[in-house]
Amino acid sequence: MRLRGLIRKETFQIVRDPSSILIGFVLPVVLLLLFGYGVSLDAKHVPVALVIENPTAETSSFAASLAGSEYFAPQAVPHRPAAERALAEGRVQAIVVLSSNFTRQLPSADGAPIQLIVNGTDANTARIISGYVDGAWQNWLEHTALDAGRALAPPVIVEQRVWFNPEVSSRNFLVPGLMAIIMTLIGTLLTALVVAREWERGTLEALMVTPVRIGEFLLGKLIPYFVLGMGGMAASTVMAVWVFGVPFRGTFLVLLLVSSLFMLAALGMGLLISTVTKNQFAAGQVAIIVAFLPAFMLSGFLFDIASMPTVVWGITHIVPARYFVSSLQTLFLAGNIWSVVATDMAALAMMAVFFLGLTRRKTRKSLE
Amino acid sequence: MWNRIRALIIKEFHAVWRDKKSRFVLIVPPLIQLLIFGYAASFDVNHLATVIFNEDDGLPARELVARFEGAPAFEVIGHISREAEIAQVIDPRRARLLIHIGPTFSRDIRINPPAKVQLIVDGRESNTSLIVLGYAGRIVADFNSEWAKSHGEPLPPAHLVVRSWFNPNLESRWFFIPGLVALLTLVVTIVVTALSVAREREVGTFEQLLVTPLRPLEILVGKATPALVIGVAEGTLIVIVGILWFAIPFRGDVGLLYAGLVVYVLAVIGVGLMISSICRTQQQAILGAFLFIMPAVILSGFATPIANMPEAIQHLTLVNPMRYFLVIVRGIFLEGLSTELVFRQLWPMAAIALVNLAGAAVMFRHRLS
């Protein structure tokens, strides 16, 4: 009965404060759109300067193989200095040079060099471009061999299979991870700020003199924000599948379970932060440092955890978002793989219990 | 007039520096972010968990496997012997790459080339899979040319010679740490300016400021100057840590970097003051700052290239000062960007700074009168 009253009060508070609605529903949608469209690692139509010092049938067939690929937008440039200027000015990302004796060297024992110069400042894009040129080169080799009436037979060829994401689309990989970041914002940042405001204003002390028990008080806080967060989660899932076309291969029940556990952990963290800081400014800062930034950088959403230095890799294990990102990526792209999801759920459940338990203890203490 | 402004500037510095909390905000979070980001933000792949499924005990197969085992990008964590086990190592993410060599590999390579090697990668992390396939492709290409050489077979008629300018080993860190100069300067400057007025308003000292003879424009200058000093100092701190701790090469002109940094910080201060004049409480100011920082960072090219975005969004990035400063700071660090190229980025940023500061002045006056 008391609990219901509390929940009603909290719900009113959320509904009446436009900033909560903003964070709960508008923010997930806006962020997902922004990230979904703004964050992409798929380079397409990369501007490349193509320098052909001595045009022949062979060089134009290579040029055609570059132009035929959707990955490149080759621009013919008369000579190397002009191409190098274009690279320095950032007008092109790479230079492909077929030198004047390219055709003459083709039949020689060593073969002819195709020079590729990439701008290494953005190392990742540079690597992707050099992979693309590699592919165009292989294609060209095969075609020239076929045209000459023989099959190209290198000693070994690679047959590649990209499981779960055959078109290697970065959106399929990024959008599920984004949902974890957005849920962290709602669960931890919003809760920390709002509850800290109550501590600041003293309305919590007022609540404490009523016969409400601590457990009821925490549940009263927890339930409305839980509902708000799960609403944001539902909105994000719908957008991921319908707007961004990310496949969903798991089951919604499992998704619901994992998200609930993550939401509890995130809310627990938010409540703990507000209980400890009791100050909006500090709560906001702490929430950004301990929840949002780790969710962004240490969760595996964008940067691969396995490649991090050992110490940083160790730290990722105490970041709730890490487990959520792993489960989301698996549920969306691979399906219900229990060995992944169950481990993640166990970790999230432990964190939820830890944070909520600690909040309960801290709340009791701060009352005495 | 200048005396009044000076007094206000001194007061602002005190306000920021005396308060333990705001001092904390200026120093601790940026350093934590710099360290975590410096070590965690990387697209490089190393020690990728790899499992070998080799059904062929011939020498060529073992040689190829040995090449993978010797590459620092891969770490062979096990071998399997049945096809059914593939899913058991890939699905739970125990291995991210599986190299499958069929039973006829050694025979095919001698009698019936090409022999096939199958690579299975986990596509859940698409960027890693692309990089892994690139590395693996190069290992196989090296194997091929050596095999052809030692067996007197013809090499392919053309080969790729790849060189990378400015960052020969393609280290992600060289890309991210100069970017952090832009990011952390943005965060600190926004927080300082967005909170300065909101805090005074909450405490009530803003009304006191209004009854002084200070004019709105003077208040604006008084609020902007400390922020400029703090923003530039923050940027300097990150540049120094980047050079000394992370050993990022610095090839350009320091003067040009500071020209860019000052204009950038001014543009950001304009935004911060606008947020400040709209928000009534600190909480709103924090949220407002956050709502600006998130899109500004995502649409700047900080983590992923602007060129990969849809065209409409690419146009949107033109009003983002961070976009221009990132080109300047990365260019000056790694490419030794020329004066002319720096100016090409500088003038749009200066225009943005003017508009933002003018906007802040208008909003300030509006708010005060």
Side-chain angles (χ1 to χ4, degrees):
Chain A
M1 195 54 219
R2 280 193 305 249
L3 185 60
R4 205 197 299 156
L6 268 180
I7 294 173
R8 259 187 57 182
K9 167 203 158 263
E10 291 295 332
T11 312
F12 275 136
Q13 217 167 335
I14 292 178
V15 175
R16 291 221 184 110
D17 182 1
S19 68
S20 308
I21 293 293
L22 192 75
I23 300 192
F25 287 96
V26 182
L27 195 69
V29 171
V30 172
L31 283 182
L32 208 57
L33 282 175
L34 189 74
F35 275 102
Y37 286 115
V39 180
S40 164
L41 293 162
D42 307 329
K44 278 198 179 151
H45 311 292
V46 178
V48 173
L50 179 60
V51 180
I52 298 178
E53 293 182 339
N54 179 15
T56 60
E58 285 81 3
T59 59
S60 52
S61 87
F62 184 78
S65 81
L66 277 189
S69 150
E70 60 169 337
Y71 298 120
F72 301 106
Q75 308 164 6
V77 173
H79 46 75
R80 266 184 87 134
E84 289 178 0
R85 210 173 318 124
L87 188 74
E89 290 179 8
R91 280 185 286 123
V92 297
Q93 290 281 321
I95 306 176
V96 176
V97 183
L98 302 179
S99 62
S100 55
N101 45 12
F102 177 78
T103 309
R104 205 151 15 94
Q105 283 181 328
L106 277 177
S108 73
D110 284 340
I114 296 167
Q115 291 170 55
L116 169 68
I117 300 170
V118 291
N119 181 340
T121 302
D122 180 352
N124 194 53
T125 305
R127 243 187 315 245
I128 290 173
I129 293 173
S130 109
Y132 288 164
V133 176
D134 211 70
W137 165 66
Q138 302 258 7
N139 261 337
W140 176 73
L141 283 181
E142 273 168 45
H143 278 117
T144 8
L146 275 179
D147 290 346
R150 56 198 160 79
L152 178 78
V156 178
I157 57 167
V158 172
E159 197 183 81
Q160 59 188 46
R161 294 276 155 77
V162 181
W163 277 20
F164 314 125
N165 186 4
E167 63 269 45
V168 212
S169 139
S170 69
R171 185 170 288 170
N172 287 355
F173 147 61
L174 291 171
V175 170
L178 278 176
M179 297 167 58
I181 293 188
I182 293 165
M183 290 307 106
T184 305
L185 280 179
I186 300 182
T188 307
L189 184 66
L190 175 69
T191 317
L193 279 178
V194 174
V195 180
R197 181 172 59 186
E198 295 203 28
W199 281 110
E200 245 177 40
R201 292 189 180 162
T203 50
L204 280 191
E205 272 82 359
L207 203 63
M208 292 302 177
V209 295
T210 63
V212 165
R213 265 177 254 133
I214 291 171
E216 290 173 337
F217 160 72
L218 287 179
L219 271 181
K221 289 273 164 213
L222 211 55
I223 292 170
Y225 285 102
F226 181 82
V227 172
L228 188 71
M230 293 309 277
M233 183 71 201
S236 306
T237 308
V238 167
M239 280 186 55
V241 175
W242 298 103
V243 179
F244 291 110
V246 179
F248 184 79
R249 303 198 172 100
T251 50
F252 286 106
L253 187 68
V254 180
L255 181 66
L256 183 73
L257 262 173
V258 181
S259 335
S260 309
L261 285 173
F262 175 75
M263 207 60 220
L264 287 176
L267 286 171
M269 223 168 148
L271 285 175
L272 183 63
I273 291 171
S274 60
T275 313
V276 174
T277 58
K278 298 201 176 66
N279 166 301
Q280 288 178 64
F281 180 70
Q285 287 297 323
V286 173
I288 288 178
I289 295 173
V290 306
F292 174 69
L293 285 173
F296 202 91
M297 290 190 265
L298 302 177
S299 67
F301 136 74
L302 185 60
F303 303 113
D304 200 331
I305 290 176
S307 294
M308 293 177 187
T310 316
V311 177
V312 181
W313 175 82
I315 296 174
T316 63
H317 286 87
I318 53 168
V319 177
R322 171 207 164 114
Y323 302 99
F324 195 36
V325 167
S326 145
S327 270
L328 284 173
Q329 286 173 348
T330 300
L331 285 176
F332 270 89
L333 300 179
N336 294 343
I337 293 170
W338 282 105
S339 49
V340 176
V341 181
T343 323
D344 292 339
M345 288 208 292
L348 287 173
M350 269 164 54
M351 289 182 162
V353 169
F354 173 77
F355 286 129
L356 290 172
L358 204 58
T359 311
R360 207 189 139 103
R361 275 192 52 187
K362 290 273 174 197
T363 316
R364 186 177 307 147
K365 259 202 195 140
S366 60
L367 288 179
E368 283 158 7
Chain B
M1 176 185 154
W2 293 111
N3 271 337
R4 285 198 302 258
I5 295 183
R6 212 183 60 203
L8 184 60
I9 291 173
I10 293 171
K11 176 223 146 228
E12 286 297 319
F13 270 119
H14 276 306
V16 173
W17 201 249
R18 278 267 182 76
D19 181 18
K20 215 172 84 194
K21 261 179 262 148
S22 46
R23 213 161 53 201
F24 170 85
V25 171
L26 290 186
I27 298 173
V28 179
L31 280 180
I32 295 176
Q33 292 172 48
L34 181 62
L35 286 178
I36 295 186
F37 231 133
Y39 285 109
S42 164
F43 288 123
D44 302 345
V45 172
N46 38 53
H47 308 300
L48 186 92
T50 303
V51 164
I52 310 270
F53 176 22
N54 186 0
E55 298 182 278
D56 181 58
D57 51 8
L59 192 61
R62 270 183 283 144
E63 268 175 27
L64 185 62
V65 168
R67 277 178 182 267
F68 276 100
E69 282 170 337
F74 306 109
E75 185 176 325
V76 176
I77 57 157
H79 297 258
I80 58 168
S81 51
R82 283 179 307 119
E83 186 144 7
E85 289 174 81
I86 298 178
Q88 288 167 24
V89 294
I90 295 283
D91 284 358
R93 294 189 152 172
R94 274 211 293 130
R96 308 271 294 278
L97 169 68
L98 183 124
I99 300 167
H100 178 200
I101 298 176
T104 60
F105 182 86
S106 294
R107 206 184 59 211
D108 288 343
I109 196 172
R110 292 209 178 84
I111 304 162
N112 185 25
K116 269 187 203 159
V117 54
Q118 192 183 44
L119 303 179
I120 295 173
V121 294
D122 181 346
R124 272 170 283 189
E125 279 173 79
S126 66
N127 196 54
T128 304
S129 9
L130 270 183
I131 293 170
V132 166
L133 289 174
Y135 283 156
R138 216 149 306 138
I139 289 177
V140 171
D142 286 348
F143 175 87
N144 276 346
S145 62
E146 224 152 275
W147 177 269
K149 254 184 225 158
S150 58
H151 289 77
E153 282 168 22
L155 287 165
H159 53 273
L160 268 183
V161 185
V162 184
R163 269 205 306 147
S164 158
W165 277 15
F166 312 126
N167 182 359
N169 297 322
L170 294 181
E171 288 181 51
S172 282
R173 197 170 286 167
W174 290 22
F175 175 69
F176 280 111
I177 290 190
L180 281 179
V181 176
L183 174 69
L184 297 180
T185 305
L186 173 85
V187 173
V188 166
T189 311
I190 283 279
V191 169
V192 167
T193 48
L195 287 180
S196 69
V197 180
R199 185 176 42 217
E200 294 211 35
R201 209 170 266 158
E202 243 182 41
V203 186
T205 51
F206 199 61
E207 278 71 21
Q208 292 174 12
L209 205 59
L210 294 185
V211 295
T212 61
L214 283 162
R215 264 172 263 140
L217 202 65
E218 291 172 10
I219 296 182
L220 193 79
V221 175
K223 293 266 171 205
T225 314
L228 179 65
V229 173
I230 289 168
V232 171
E234 194 77 42
T236 308
L237 177 74
I238 316 285
V239 169
I240 292 173
V241 175
I243 296 173
L244 296 183
W245 180 261
F246 289 104
I248 313 296
F250 189 91
R251 301 186 175 124
D253 187 286
V254 182
L256 284 173
L257 179 66
Y258 274 93
L261 186 59
V262 167
V263 176
Y264 174 60
V265 172
L266 284 175
V268 174
I269 287 173
V271 178
L273 288 176
M274 283 195 260
I275 295 176
S276 212
S277 64
I278 301 172
C279 296
R280 249 176 264 112
T281 62
Q282 290 188 58
Q283 186 184 348
Q284 288 176 354
I286 293 179
L287 286 178
F290 202 72
L291 285 181
F292 170 74
I293 291 173
M294 289 275 282
V297 172
I298 290 158
L299 302 181
S300 68
F302 171 76
T304 61
I306 291 176
N308 294 0
M309 299 169 189
E311 210 157 310
I313 294 187
Q314 288 193 33
H315 291 308
L316 202 65
T317 66
L318 291 175
V319 297
N320 184 356
M322 190 176 172
R323 168 205 164 120
Y324 304 99
F325 186 59
L326 275 175
V327 176
I328 293 179
V329 68
R330 282 181 180 142
I332 287 178
F333 257 97
L334 301 181
E335 303 169 8
L337 213 60
S338 68
T339 314
E340 190 213 332
L341 292 177
V342 171
F343 269 91
R344 260 187 226 179
Q345 306 293 327
L346 208 56
W347 75 259
M349 208 161 64
I352 295 171
L354 266 179
V355 171
N356 288 355
L357 289 172
V362 169
M363 286 164 78
F364 239 72
R365 189 169 306 158
H366 187 75
R367 194 86 214 177
L368 296 188
S369 51

